[in-house]
PDB file of all heavy atoms in Angstrom:
ATOM      1  N   ILE A  12       2.190  13.446   7.379  1.00 93.00           N
ATOM      2  CA  ILE A  12       1.927  12.061   6.999  1.00 93.00           C
ATOM      3  C   ILE A  12       0.475  11.679   7.268  1.00 93.00           C
ATOM      4  O   ILE A  12      -0.162  11.007   6.454  1.00 93.00           O
ATOM      5  CB  ILE A  12       2.909  11.114   7.714  1.00 93.00           C
ATOM      6  CG1 ILE A  12       4.323  11.344   7.164  1.00 93.00           C
ATOM      7  CG2 ILE A  12       2.503   9.658   7.547  1.00 93.00           C
ATOM      8  CD1 ILE A  12       5.419  10.605   7.892  1.00 93.00           C
ATOM      9  N   TYR A  13      -0.094  12.133   8.393  1.00 95.00           N
ATOM     10  CA  TYR A  13      -1.479  11.761   8.689  1.00 95.00           C
ATOM     11  C   TYR A  13      -2.434  12.299   7.621  1.00 95.00           C
ATOM     12  O   TYR A  13      -3.420  11.641   7.279  1.00 95.00           O
ATOM     13  CB  TYR A  13      -1.892  12.219  10.093  1.00 95.00           C
ATOM     14  CG  TYR A  13      -2.337  13.651  10.200  1.00 95.00           C
ATOM     15  CD1 TYR A  13      -3.677  13.991  10.048  1.00 95.00           C
ATOM     16  CD2 TYR A  13      -1.423  14.681  10.431  1.00 95.00           C
ATOM     17  CE1 TYR A  13      -4.091  15.314  10.137  1.00 95.00           C
ATOM     18  CE2 TYR A  13      -1.828  15.993  10.524  1.00 95.00           C
ATOM     19  CZ  TYR A  13      -3.161  16.301  10.372  1.00 95.00           C
ATOM     20  OH  TYR A  13      -3.568  17.602  10.455  1.00 95.00           O
ATOM     21  N   GLU A  14      -2.147  13.488   7.070  1.00 94.00           N
ATOM     22  CA  GLU A  14      -2.989  14.042   6.005  1.00 94.00           C
ATOM     23  C   GLU A  14      -2.868  13.212   4.736  1.00 94.00           C
ATOM     24  O   GLU A  14      -3.863  12.983   4.035  1.00 94.00           O
ATOM     25  CB  GLU A  14      -2.598  15.487   5.698  1.00 94.00           C
ATOM     26  CG  GLU A  14      -3.089  16.486   6.702  1.00 94.00           C
ATOM     27  CD  GLU A  14      -2.725  17.921   6.319  1.00 94.00           C
ATOM     28  OE1 GLU A  14      -2.352  18.164   5.151  1.00 94.00           O
ATOM     29  OE2 GLU A  14      -2.828  18.782   7.203  1.00 94.00           O
ATOM     30  N   GLN A  15      -1.660  12.772   4.428  1.00 93.00           N
ATOM     31  CA  GLN A  15      -1.461  11.943   3.242  1.00 93.00           C
ATOM     32  C   GLN A  15      -2.220  10.626   3.377  1.00 93.00           C
ATOM     33  O   GLN A  15      -2.895  10.188   2.438  1.00 93.00           O
ATOM     34  CB  GLN A  15       0.019  11.644   3.038  1.00 93.00           C
ATOM     35  CG  GLN A  15       0.850  12.856   2.675  1.00 93.00           C
ATOM     36  CD  GLN A  15       2.304  12.486   2.461  1.00 93.00           C
ATOM     37  OE1 GLN A  15       2.596  11.534   1.746  1.00 93.00           O
ATOM     38  NE2 GLN A  15       3.205  13.224   3.086  1.00 93.00           N
ATOM     39  N   ILE A  16      -2.142  10.005   4.551  1.00 95.00           N
ATOM     40  CA  ILE A  16      -2.838   8.742   4.788  1.00 95.00           C
ATOM     41  C   ILE A  16      -4.344   8.941   4.651  1.00 95.00           C
ATOM     42  O   ILE A  16      -5.021   8.186   3.947  1.00 95.00           O
ATOM     43  CB  ILE A  16      -2.483   8.176   6.179  1.00 95.00           C
ATOM     44  CG1 ILE A  16      -0.999   7.781   6.233  1.00 95.00           C
ATOM     45  CG2 ILE A  16      -3.374   6.984   6.526  1.00 95.00           C
ATOM     46  CD1 ILE A  16      -0.491   7.448   7.617  1.00 95.00           C
ATOM     47  N   SER A  17      -4.868   9.966   5.299  1.00 95.00           N
ATOM     48  CA  SER A  17      -6.323  10.172   5.255  1.00 95.00           C
ATOM     49  C   SER A  17      -6.774  10.508   3.833  1.00 95.00           C
ATOM     50  O   SER A  17      -7.819  10.024   3.381  1.00 95.00           O
ATOM     51  CB  SER A  17      -6.769  11.239   6.255  1.00 95.00           C
ATOM     52  OG  SER A  17      -6.218  12.485   5.970  1.00 95.00           O
ATOM     53  N   GLU A  18      -5.995  11.286   3.099  1.00 92.00           N
ATOM     54  CA  GLU A  18      -6.364  11.639   1.724  1.00 92.00           C
ATOM     55  C   GLU A  18      -6.391  10.401   0.824  1.00 92.00           C
ATOM     56  O   GLU A  18      -7.304  10.230   0.011  1.00 92.00           O
ATOM     57  CB  GLU A  18      -5.406  12.691   1.164  1.00 92.00           C
ATOM     58  CG  GLU A  18      -5.852  13.300  -0.134  1.00 92.00           C
ATOM     59  CD  GLU A  18      -7.177  14.050  -0.049  1.00 92.00           C
ATOM     60  OE1 GLU A  18      -7.480  14.651   0.999  1.00 92.00           O
ATOM     61  OE2 GLU A  18      -7.934  14.015  -1.043  1.00 92.00           O
ATOM     62  N   LYS A  19      -5.413   9.518   0.963  1.00 94.00           N
ATOM     63  CA  LYS A  19      -5.376   8.296   0.139  1.00 94.00           C
ATOM     64  C   LYS A  19      -6.566   7.394   0.457  1.00 94.00           C
ATOM     65  O   LYS A  19      -7.180   6.833  -0.447  1.00 94.00           O
ATOM     66  CB  LYS A  19      -4.068   7.532   0.357  1.00 94.00           C
ATOM     67  CG  LYS A  19      -2.834   8.262  -0.109  1.00 94.00           C
ATOM     68  CD  LYS A  19      -2.686   8.241  -1.613  1.00 94.00           C
ATOM     69  CE  LYS A  19      -1.585   9.123  -2.083  1.00 94.00           C
ATOM     70  NZ  LYS A  19      -0.361   8.532  -2.479  1.00 94.00           N
ATOM     71  N   PHE A  20      -6.907   7.277   1.749  1.00 95.00           N
ATOM     72  CA  PHE A  20      -8.062   6.456   2.103  1.00 95.00           C
ATOM     73  C   PHE A  20      -9.356   7.083   1.604  1.00 95.00           C
ATOM     74  O   PHE A  20     -10.268   6.371   1.185  1.00 95.00           O
ATOM     75  CB  PHE A  20      -8.120   6.187   3.605  1.00 95.00           C
ATOM     76  CG  PHE A  20      -7.274   5.023   4.036  1.00 95.00           C
ATOM     77  CD1 PHE A  20      -6.279   5.180   4.975  1.00 95.00           C
ATOM     78  CD2 PHE A  20      -7.479   3.756   3.498  1.00 95.00           C
ATOM     79  CE1 PHE A  20      -5.497   4.115   5.371  1.00 95.00           C
ATOM     80  CE2 PHE A  20      -6.711   2.674   3.888  1.00 95.00           C
ATOM     81  CZ  PHE A  20      -5.709   2.855   4.828  1.00 95.00           C
ATOM     82  N   LYS A  21      -9.466   8.408   1.620  1.00 93.00           N
ATOM     83  CA  LYS A  21     -10.656   9.077   1.087  1.00 93.00           C
ATOM     84  C   LYS A  21     -10.837   8.699  -0.384  1.00 93.00           C
ATOM     85  O   LYS A  21     -11.942   8.397  -0.827  1.00 93.00           O
ATOM     86  CB  LYS A  21     -10.521  10.599   1.188  1.00 93.00           C
ATOM     87  CG  LYS A  21     -10.842  11.172   2.516  1.00 93.00           C
ATOM     88  CD  LYS A  21     -10.877  12.677   2.380  1.00 93.00           C
ATOM     89  CE  LYS A  21     -10.224  13.341   3.541  1.00 93.00           C
ATOM     90  NZ  LYS A  21     -10.178  14.793   3.408  1.00 93.00           N
ATOM     91  N   ILE A  22      -9.748   8.740  -1.139  1.00 91.00           N
ATOM     92  CA  ILE A  22      -9.803   8.398  -2.565  1.00 91.00           C
ATOM     93  C   ILE A  22     -10.259   6.955  -2.752  1.00 91.00           C
ATOM     94  O   ILE A  22     -11.124   6.667  -3.585  1.00 91.00           O
ATOM     95  CB  ILE A  22      -8.434   8.656  -3.234  1.00 91.00           C
ATOM     96  CG1 ILE A  22      -8.156  10.164  -3.279  1.00 91.00           C
ATOM     97  CG2 ILE A  22      -8.374   8.029  -4.630  1.00 91.00           C
ATOM     98  CD1 ILE A  22      -6.732  10.526  -3.631  1.00 91.00           C
ATOM     99  N   LEU A  23      -9.703   6.039  -1.962  1.00 93.00           N
ATOM    100  CA  LEU A  23     -10.081   4.628  -2.066  1.00 93.00           C
ATOM    101  C   LEU A  23     -11.554   4.421  -1.734  1.00 93.00           C
ATOM    102  O   LEU A  23     -12.240   3.612  -2.363  1.00 93.00           O
ATOM    103  CB  LEU A  23      -9.204   3.774  -1.145  1.00 93.00           C
ATOM    104  CG  LEU A  23      -7.721   3.688  -1.506  1.00 93.00           C
ATOM    105  CD1 LEU A  23      -6.946   2.953  -0.421  1.00 93.00           C
ATOM    106  CD2 LEU A  23      -7.532   3.012  -2.854  1.00 93.00           C
ATOM    107  N   ILE A  24     -12.048   5.174  -0.755  1.00 93.00           N
ATOM    108  CA  ILE A  24     -13.460   5.068  -0.371  1.00 93.00           C
ATOM    109  C   ILE A  24     -14.349   5.663  -1.454  1.00 93.00           C
ATOM    110  O   ILE A  24     -15.349   5.055  -1.857  1.00 93.00           O
ATOM    111  CB  ILE A  24     -13.700   5.745   0.995  1.00 93.00           C
ATOM    112  CG1 ILE A  24     -12.991   4.942   2.106  1.00 93.00           C
ATOM    113  CG2 ILE A  24     -15.193   5.875   1.285  1.00 93.00           C
ATOM    114  CD1 ILE A  24     -12.907   5.670   3.441  1.00 93.00           C
ATOM    115  N   LEU A  25     -13.997   6.850  -1.950  1.00 90.00           N
ATOM    116  CA  LEU A  25     -14.815   7.514  -2.968  1.00 90.00           C
ATOM    117  C   LEU A  25     -14.867   6.713  -4.272  1.00 90.00           C
ATOM    118  O   LEU A  25     -15.875   6.710  -4.967  1.00 90.00           O
ATOM    119  CB  LEU A  25     -14.313   8.928  -3.227  1.00 90.00           C
ATOM    120  CG  LEU A  25     -14.554   9.917  -2.088  1.00 90.00           C
ATOM    121  CD1 LEU A  25     -13.817  11.218  -2.341  1.00 90.00           C
ATOM    122  CD2 LEU A  25     -16.039  10.168  -1.885  1.00 90.00           C
ATOM    123  N   LYS A  26     -13.774   6.051  -4.616  1.00 90.00           N
ATOM    124  CA  LYS A  26     -13.740   5.237  -5.837  1.00 90.00           C
ATOM    125  C   LYS A  26     -14.456   3.901  -5.663  1.00 90.00           C
ATOM    126  O   LYS A  26     -14.656   3.178  -6.628  1.00 90.00           O
ATOM    127  CB  LYS A  26     -12.292   4.970  -6.254  1.00 90.00           C
ATOM    128  CG  LYS A  26     -11.607   6.154  -6.873  1.00 90.00           C
ATOM    129  CD  LYS A  26     -10.222   5.764  -7.347  1.00 90.00           C
ATOM    130  CE  LYS A  26      -9.582   6.888  -8.124  1.00 90.00           C
ATOM    131  NZ  LYS A  26      -8.241   6.482  -8.617  1.00 90.00           N
ATOM    132  N   GLY A  27     -14.820   3.558  -4.419  1.00 89.00           N
ATOM    133  CA  GLY A  27     -15.499   2.300  -4.163  1.00 89.00           C
ATOM    134  C   GLY A  27     -14.566   1.125  -3.993  1.00 89.00           C
ATOM    135  O   GLY A  27     -15.013  -0.026  -3.925  1.00 89.00           O
ATOM    136  N   ILE A  28     -13.270   1.387  -3.939  1.00 92.00           N
ATOM    137  CA  ILE A  28     -12.306   0.307  -3.731  1.00 92.00           C
ATOM    138  C   ILE A  28     -12.467  -0.245  -2.312  1.00 92.00           C
ATOM    139  O   ILE A  28     -12.402  -1.455  -2.101  1.00 92.00           O
ATOM    140  CB  ILE A  28     -10.872   0.802  -3.998  1.00 92.00           C
ATOM    141  CG1 ILE A  28     -10.748   1.175  -5.480  1.00 92.00           C
ATOM    142  CG2 ILE A  28      -9.838  -0.237  -3.595  1.00 92.00           C
ATOM    143  CD1 ILE A  28      -9.494   1.933  -5.854  1.00 92.00           C
ATOM    144  N   LEU A  29     -12.679   0.651  -1.353  1.00 93.00           N
ATOM    145  CA  LEU A  29     -13.039   0.248   0.005  1.00 93.00           C
ATOM    146  C   LEU A  29     -14.546   0.410   0.110  1.00 93.00           C
ATOM    147  O   LEU A  29     -15.080   1.501  -0.079  1.00 93.00           O
ATOM    148  CB  LEU A  29     -12.327   1.121   1.049  1.00 93.00           C
ATOM    149  CG  LEU A  29     -10.813   0.980   1.113  1.00 93.00           C
ATOM    150  CD1 LEU A  29     -10.231   1.976   2.093  1.00 93.00           C
ATOM    151  CD2 LEU A  29     -10.431  -0.437   1.521  1.00 93.00           C
ATOM    152  N   GLU A  30     -15.233  -0.667   0.388  1.00 93.00           N
ATOM    153  CA  GLU A  30     -16.688  -0.676   0.368  1.00 93.00           C
ATOM    154  C   GLU A  30     -17.276  -0.349   1.731  1.00 93.00           C
ATOM    155  O   GLU A  30     -16.613  -0.530   2.762  1.00 93.00           O
ATOM    156  CB  GLU A  30     -17.174  -2.032  -0.116  1.00 93.00           C
ATOM    157  CG  GLU A  30     -16.749  -2.306  -1.544  1.00 93.00           C
ATOM    158  CD  GLU A  30     -17.269  -3.628  -2.066  1.00 93.00           C
ATOM    159  OE1 GLU A  30     -18.032  -4.302  -1.348  1.00 93.00           O
ATOM    160  OE2 GLU A  30     -16.909  -3.961  -3.195  1.00 93.00           O
ATOM    161  N   PRO A  31     -18.534   0.118   1.756  1.00 94.00           N
ATOM    162  CA  PRO A  31     -19.197   0.419   3.026  1.00 94.00           C
ATOM    163  C   PRO A  31     -19.157  -0.767   3.991  1.00 94.00           C
ATOM    164  O   PRO A  31     -19.316  -1.919   3.577  1.00 94.00           O
ATOM    165  CB  PRO A  31     -20.638   0.728   2.610  1.00 94.00           C
ATOM    166  CG  PRO A  31     -20.510   1.223   1.210  1.00 94.00           C
ATOM    167  CD  PRO A  31     -19.383   0.421   0.619  1.00 94.00           C
ATOM    168  N   ASP A  32     -18.904  -0.460   5.244  1.00 95.00           N
ATOM    169  CA  ASP A  32     -18.825  -1.424   6.349  1.00 95.00           C
ATOM    170  C   ASP A  32     -17.605  -2.348   6.262  1.00 95.00           C
ATOM    171  O   ASP A  32     -17.491  -3.285   7.048  1.00 95.00           O
ATOM    172  CB  ASP A  32     -20.112  -2.248   6.470  1.00 95.00           C
ATOM    173  CG  ASP A  32     -21.306  -1.367   6.783  1.00 95.00           C
ATOM    174  OD1 ASP A  32     -21.187  -0.487   7.664  1.00 95.00           O
ATOM    175  OD2 ASP A  32     -22.367  -1.546   6.151  1.00 95.00           O
ATOM    176  N   GLU A  33     -16.701  -2.082   5.326  1.00 96.00           N
ATOM    177  CA  GLU A  33     -15.469  -2.872   5.247  1.00 96.00           C
ATOM    178  C   GLU A  33     -14.553  -2.479   6.399  1.00 96.00           C
ATOM    179  O   GLU A  33     -14.402  -1.303   6.728  1.00 96.00           O
ATOM    180  CB  GLU A  33     -14.771  -2.618   3.912  1.00 96.00           C
ATOM    181  CG  GLU A  33     -13.534  -3.468   3.690  1.00 96.00           C
ATOM    182  CD  GLU A  33     -12.953  -3.308   2.294  1.00 96.00           C
ATOM    183  OE1 GLU A  33     -13.693  -2.935   1.361  1.00 96.00           O
ATOM    184  OE2 GLU A  33     -11.749  -3.545   2.152  1.00 96.00           O
ATOM    185  N   LYS A  34     -13.923  -3.480   7.004  1.00 97.00           N
ATOM    186  CA  LYS A  34     -13.023  -3.227   8.131  1.00 97.00           C
ATOM    187  C   LYS A  34     -11.712  -2.641   7.628  1.00 97.00           C
ATOM    188  O   LYS A  34     -11.142  -3.122   6.658  1.00 97.00           O
ATOM    189  CB  LYS A  34     -12.755  -4.509   8.910  1.00 97.00           C
ATOM    190  CG  LYS A  34     -11.963  -4.290  10.185  1.00 97.00           C
ATOM    191  CD  LYS A  34     -11.908  -5.553  11.005  1.00 97.00           C
ATOM    192  CE  LYS A  34     -11.211  -5.426  12.324  1.00 97.00           C
ATOM    193  NZ  LYS A  34     -10.488  -4.262  12.666  1.00 97.00           N
ATOM    194  N   MET A  35     -11.273  -1.596   8.290  1.00 97.00           N
ATOM    195  CA  MET A  35      -9.992  -0.965   7.963  1.00 97.00           C
ATOM    196  C   MET A  35      -8.869  -1.738   8.659  1.00 97.00           C
ATOM    197  O   MET A  35      -9.108  -2.410   9.666  1.00 97.00           O
ATOM    198  CB  MET A  35      -9.989   0.484   8.457  1.00 97.00           C
ATOM    199  CG  MET A  35     -11.023   1.366   7.779  1.00 97.00           C
ATOM    200  SD  MET A  35     -10.632   1.695   6.065  1.00 97.00           S
ATOM    201  CE  MET A  35      -9.229   2.768   6.249  1.00 97.00           C
ATOM    202  N   PRO A  36      -7.642  -1.614   8.157  1.00 96.00           N
ATOM    203  CA  PRO A  36      -6.521  -2.234   8.875  1.00 96.00           C
ATOM    204  C   PRO A  36      -6.436  -1.641  10.283  1.00 96.00           C
ATOM    205  O   PRO A  36      -6.771  -0.475  10.491  1.00 96.00           O
ATOM    206  CB  PRO A  36      -5.291  -1.835   8.051  1.00 96.00           C
ATOM    207  CG  PRO A  36      -5.815  -1.384   6.734  1.00 96.00           C
ATOM    208  CD  PRO A  36      -7.216  -0.910   6.951  1.00 96.00           C
TER     209      PRO A  36
END
Side-chain angles (χ1 to χ4, degrees):
I12 292 173
Y13 83 91
E14 283 183 15
Q15 293 181 49
I16 294 170
S17 63
E18 191 62 33
K19 295 284 172 103
F20 276 122
K21 279 189 221 177
I22 292 167
L23 293 173
I24 292 168
L25 290 170
K26 285 184 173 182
I28 295 168
L29 294 175
E30 296 182 4
D32 298 315
E33 184 174 336
K34 187 172 183 351
M35 296 290 290

